[in-house]
């Protein structure tokens, strides 16, 4: 998943979360079901944010080495 796809998915999840929160506030809403779905959305958002924080795994930068003691 490239950065653009990740940002698009994050935006979609935020919109879905907002809609779920509004739905939960309505009278007669199935709060337990909505809360379960909110947990799924929250977990996916956390995973997407976490992958955005990690440095790329395919970096070609030379690895730092420890200086050798003589």
């Amino acid at each position: 998943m490239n950065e653009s796809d990740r940002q698009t998915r994050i935006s979609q999840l935020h919109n879905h979360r907002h809609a779920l929160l509004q739905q939960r506030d309505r009278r007669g809403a199935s709060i337990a079901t909505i809360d379960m779905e909110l947990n799924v959305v929250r977990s996916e958002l956390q995973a997407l944010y976490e992958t955005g924080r990690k440095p790329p795994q395919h970096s070609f930068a030379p690895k730092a080495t420890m200086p050798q003691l003589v």
Side-chain angles (χ1 to χ4, degrees):
M1 175 179 280
N2 65 32
E3 183 62 21
S4 176
D5 292 341
R6 192 176 76 79
Q7 289 299 326
T8 300
R9 183 64 181 149
I10 287 171
S11 179
Q12 290 170 344
L13 289 167
H14 277 292
N15 290 337
H16 187 55
R17 180 180 173 275
H18 181 70
L20 287 169
L21 290 171
Q22 285 183 332
Q23 196 176 24
R24 189 175 68 174
D25 289 341
R26 290 188 197 129
R27 186 178 187 137
S30 176
I31 294 174
T33 302
I34 294 169
D35 282 348
M36 284 192 302
E37 194 167 350
L38 281 167
N39 283 333
V40 171
V41 170
R42 187 177 303 118
S43 295
E44 188 173 348
L45 279 169
Q46 286 175 339
L48 287 168
Y49 284 131
E50 193 63 31
T51 54
R53 285 189 210 117
K54 292 180 182 175
Q57 296 296 325
H58 53 77
S59 175
F60 294 107
K63 293 182 179 179
T65 58
M66 296 293 293
Q68 294 190 1
L69 300 175
V70 189

